[in-house]
């Protein structure tokens, strides 16, 4: 009887279960989008300063180290989204005593994995960068940059993952401020260390980790003052029954990021190999790919921010059995992401050279390759928003296996094989054509699965 009263009281007290869905999505999505954009700015700001002060080799170096940044994001998402989903599902179902254990275990593993990744990177730095596809003329720049940024991995992972845990507590604006403060510090120090003190790659790396450490401090401060539940040291003790559930619900975005890392490594190697066989050479394709990856991060930051805004709404209401609200939240998220995707498509098709020029000077061949790369690589960008939204949606409603499968469709199921096969027939052009083909096939599967789940929600609602 008391448990029933507690469940009813949780539903009545929590606006996730009562406030208008559209307003909730805006409330949670906009700070999430800003937070994701700010995270993308860490890499873009470095790329802008490095590209304008060092040039193509500097841009290529940041692209070589990018798989490690993706690794940090993967760890952040498995425990951040996993912990947030478990927490909101538990709160929606009225299991208030167990809910903080998910947050505590997530925080513990976020920082621990960051420390482990930092140590592994420092120990195996040079062979790791060569494995990522670094040519000899790029390696010194990549080594300088990565050896310093690795120190910030525990703080970057805690900040990114902790942002999801803070949003789950109903404070999306504070999560946004954590990322925004670090980005402002990073940008200001980039200007001082790179332009004024001429510290090059080392200056860019020092600026990055300084911002990350400050942001992580803000996350730690908030976690000690959690609003909806009280977090204690006992909740940080790792327990498999909580950590295992967190990992299972965070596995979908984790696999998506790991798949992106694998694809990035294969792409770097392919660009280096087939670039050397073409008129462009090794460094031009690598540098252009680095720019396109960073610009693509801006677009996907908006889409992923919308999906993150959807997560607490979908999780809580699915746990509370309010399937109509879940369906409306998903529809609004897909509509917003669709509009953004169409705008991104137009921008990438109409202004590729202007975008590339913002990242520094280069030869005419460099800009010609960059413009062509933009137009081909992002040709189906207007429909590939369904896959990340759908994948995160399945995770949010407690169906991690579907989310994992959907997260792997574009990167592993389609893009990776095409990256290996297409260049055999089309040379370096095949690398560019692989992406839109993978986008199209992944979107078809994502649409099919998402529509099927919406039909199930309709049936639940009728019952």
């Amino acid at each position: 009887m008391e448990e029933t009263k507690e469940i009813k009281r949780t539903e009545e007290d929590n606006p996730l279960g009562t406030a208008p869905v559209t307003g909730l999505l805006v409330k949670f999505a906009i700070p999430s989008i800003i937070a994701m954009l700010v995270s993308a700015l860490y890499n873009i700001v470095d790329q802008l300063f490095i590209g304008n002060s060092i040039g193509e080799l500097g841009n290529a170096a940041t692209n070589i180290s990018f798989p490690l940044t993706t690794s940090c994001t993967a760890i952040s998402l498995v425990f951040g989204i996993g912990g947030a989903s478990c927490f909101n599902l538990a709160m929606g179902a009225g299991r208030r005593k167990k809910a903080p254990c998910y947050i505590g275990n997530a925080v513990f593993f976020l920082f621990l994995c960051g420390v482990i990744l930092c140590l592994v990177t420092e120990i195996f730095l040079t062979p790791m960068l060569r494995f990522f596809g670094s040519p000899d003329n790029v390696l010194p720049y990549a080594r300088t940059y990565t050896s310093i940024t690795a120190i910030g991995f525990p703080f970057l992972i805690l900040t990114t993952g902790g942002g999801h845990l803070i949003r789950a507590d109903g404070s999306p604006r504070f999560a946004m401020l954590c990322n925004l403060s670090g980005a402002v510090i990073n940008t200001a120090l980039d200007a001082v260390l790179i332009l004024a003190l001429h510290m090059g790659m080392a200056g860019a790396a020092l600026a990055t980790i300084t911002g990350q450490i400050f942001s992580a401090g803000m996350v730690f401060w908030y976690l000690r003052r959690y609003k909806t539940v009280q977090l204690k040291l006992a909740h940080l003790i790792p327990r498999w029954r909580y950590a295992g559930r967190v990992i299972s619900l965070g596995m979908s975005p984790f696999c998506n990021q790991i798949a992106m890392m694998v694809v990035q490594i294969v792409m770097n190697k392919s660009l280096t190999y087939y670039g050397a066989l073409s008129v462009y050479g090794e460094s031009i394709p690598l540098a252009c790919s680095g720019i396109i990856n960073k610009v693509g991060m801006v677009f996907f930051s908006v889409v992923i921010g919308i999906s993150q805004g959807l997560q607490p709404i979908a999780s809580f209401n699915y746990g509370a059995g309010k399937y109509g609200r879940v369906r409306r939240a998903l529809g609004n998220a897909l509509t917003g992401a669709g509009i953004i995707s169409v705008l991104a498509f137009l921008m990438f098709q109409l202004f590729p050279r202007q975008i590339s020029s913002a990242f520094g000077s280069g030869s005419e061949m460099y800009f010609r390759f960059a413009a062509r790369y933009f137009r081909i690589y992002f040709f189906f960008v207007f429909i590939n928003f369904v896959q990340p939204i759908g994948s995160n949606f399945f995770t949010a409603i407690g169906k991690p296996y579907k989310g994992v499968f959907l997260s792997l469709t574009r990167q592993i199921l389609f893009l990776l094989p095409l990256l290996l096969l297409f260049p055999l027939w089309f040379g370096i052009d095949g690398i560019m054509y692989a992406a839109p083909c993978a986008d199209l096939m992944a979107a078809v599967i994502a649409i099919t699965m998402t529509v099927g789940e919406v039909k199930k929600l309709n049936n639940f609602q009728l019952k």
Side-chain angles (χ1 to χ4, degrees):
M1 190 70 175
E2 290 183 8
E3 186 177 355
T4 302
K5 290 181 179 179
E6 184 180 1
I7 292 173
K8 289 182 178 179
R9 188 165 54 251
T10 301
E11 291 183 11
E12 291 171 358
D13 293 345
N14 200 318
L16 288 172
T18 57
V21 170
T22 302
L24 279 174
L25 186 61
V26 171
K27 175 186 175 182
F28 281 87
I30 289 180
S32 297
I33 290 169
I34 295 174
M36 289 299 298
L37 286 172
V38 168
S39 296
L41 281 176
Y42 271 111
N43 294 292
I44 289 177
V45 167
D46 283 350
Q47 192 96 34
L48 287 169
F49 280 102
I50 289 170
N52 284 282
S53 62
I54 298 172
E56 291 177 12
L57 293 179
N59 279 332
T62 59
N63 189 36
I64 288 297
S65 67
F66 193 62
L68 288 169
T69 302
T70 308
S71 299
C72 291
T73 305
I75 296 170
S76 302
L77 295 182
V78 70
F79 295 109
I81 288 182
S85 297
C86 287
F87 176 78
N88 288 131
L89 284 168
M91 292 293 284
R95 297 191 295 271
R96 195 177 184 88
K97 291 184 179 180
K98 291 184 178 180
C101 296
Y102 294 116
I103 300 295
N105 273 244
V107 171
F108 175 85
F109 283 104
L110 281 169
F111 197 78
L112 176 65
C113 291
V115 172
I116 293 173
L117 182 61
C118 170
L119 294 175
V120 170
T121 301
E122 297 290 4
I123 294 170
F124 302 104
L125 180 61
T126 298
M128 190 178 289
L129 293 175
R130 288 196 179 277
F131 177 73
F132 291 163
S134 177
D136 290 337
N137 60 342
V138 175
L139 184 61
Y141 297 95
R143 192 160 43 204
T144 298
Y145 183 76
T146 310
S147 64
I148 298 173
T149 54
I151 299 171
F153 286 169
F155 306 100
L156 171 60
I157 290 171
L158 180 61
T159 298
T160 307
H164 296 285
L165 305 179
I166 292 171
R167 279 189 288 273
D169 192 44
S171 300
R173 291 182 181 177
F174 192 87
M176 174 191 71
L177 288 174
C178 292
N179 287 278
L180 185 60
S181 60
V184 170
I185 292 172
N186 179 35
T187 303
L189 288 179
D190 267 335
V192 173
L193 299 179
I194 298 176
L195 299 183
L197 300 181
H198 307 288
M199 293 179 65
M201 302 298 290
L206 286 170
T208 297
I209 66 170
T210 304
Q212 291 166 352
I213 292 170
F214 184 86
S215 296
M218 292 183 65
V219 170
F220 180 75
W221 180 88
Y222 183 92
L223 291 173
R224 294 186 62 190
R225 294 159 179 81
Y226 221 63
K227 295 189 305 182
T228 51
V229 295
Q230 184 180 3
L231 293 179
K232 302 177 181 178
L233 286 176
H235 296 138
L236 295 171
I237 299 173
R239 295 187 179 125
W240 179 247
R241 59 176 171 168
Y242 299 116
R245 180 63 173 163
V246 167
I247 292 171
S248 70
L249 290 189
M251 192 54 63
S252 169
F254 173 81
C255 289
N256 189 44
Q257 292 294 317
I258 292 299
M260 288 174 61
M261 183 186 72
V262 172
V263 166
Q264 183 64 44
I265 294 171
V266 172
M267 185 173 289
N268 285 346
K269 287 178 173 290
S270 297
L271 288 167
T272 301
Y273 178 78
Y274 289 101
L277 299 177
S278 72
V279 296
Y280 303 108
E282 292 179 332
S283 61
I284 285 179
L286 273 176
C288 292
S289 178
I291 292 172
I292 285 169
N293 284 332
K294 303 304 187 301
V295 173
M297 282 179 64
V298 174
F299 161 67
F300 280 108
S301 293
V302 178
V303 173
I304 293 172
I306 292 173
S307 74
Q308 290 175 357
L310 170 67
Q311 180 269 314
I313 305 168
S315 292
F316 185 92
N317 286 286
Y318 194 88
K322 298 182 177 181
Y323 304 115
R325 290 175 61 82
V326 176
R327 188 179 64 251
R328 288 195 297 274
L330 174 63
N332 289 342
L334 288 171
T335 300
I339 294 171
I340 295 298
S341 299
V342 171
L343 294 175
F345 168 79
L346 294 174
M347 183 179 68
F348 296 149
Q349 295 300 312
L350 296 175
F351 308 110
R353 184 171 183 123
Q354 290 86 339
I355 297 171
S356 304
S357 300
F359 291 87
S361 60
S363 63
E364 178 60 28
M365 186 177 294
Y366 168 80
F367 285 116
R368 191 164 62 245
F369 181 83
R372 192 159 178 266
Y373 201 155
F374 259 104
R375 290 193 173 106
I376 296 173
Y377 193 86
F378 288 124
F379 187 76
F380 280 118
V381 75
F382 60 90
I383 59 170
N384 68 1
F385 68 94
V386 184
Q387 188 251 359
I389 294 272
S391 175
N392 206 30
F393 170 70
F394 282 115
T395 298
I397 63 175
K399 297 186 177 183
Y401 297 113
K402 290 185 177 181
V404 168
F405 171 76
L406 201 54
S407 70
L408 294 177
T409 51
R410 181 189 185 270
Q411 305 290 344
I412 298 298
L413 216 59
F414 301 127
L415 184 54
L416 188 58
L418 293 178
L419 279 175
L420 297 174
L421 293 175
F422 276 16
L424 297 176
W425 303 321
F426 308 112
I428 198 166
D429 287 352
I431 299 173
M432 294 183 275
Y433 288 120
C437 293
D439 287 341
L440 178 61
M441 292 185 286
V444 170
I445 292 178
I447 292 169
T448 302
M449 290 181 62
T450 305
V451 169
E453 193 62 36
V454 169
K455 289 180 179 178
K456 290 181 182 179
L457 291 175
N458 290 336
N459 293 334
F460 288 150
Q461 190 68 20
L462 291 174
K463 293 177 182 179

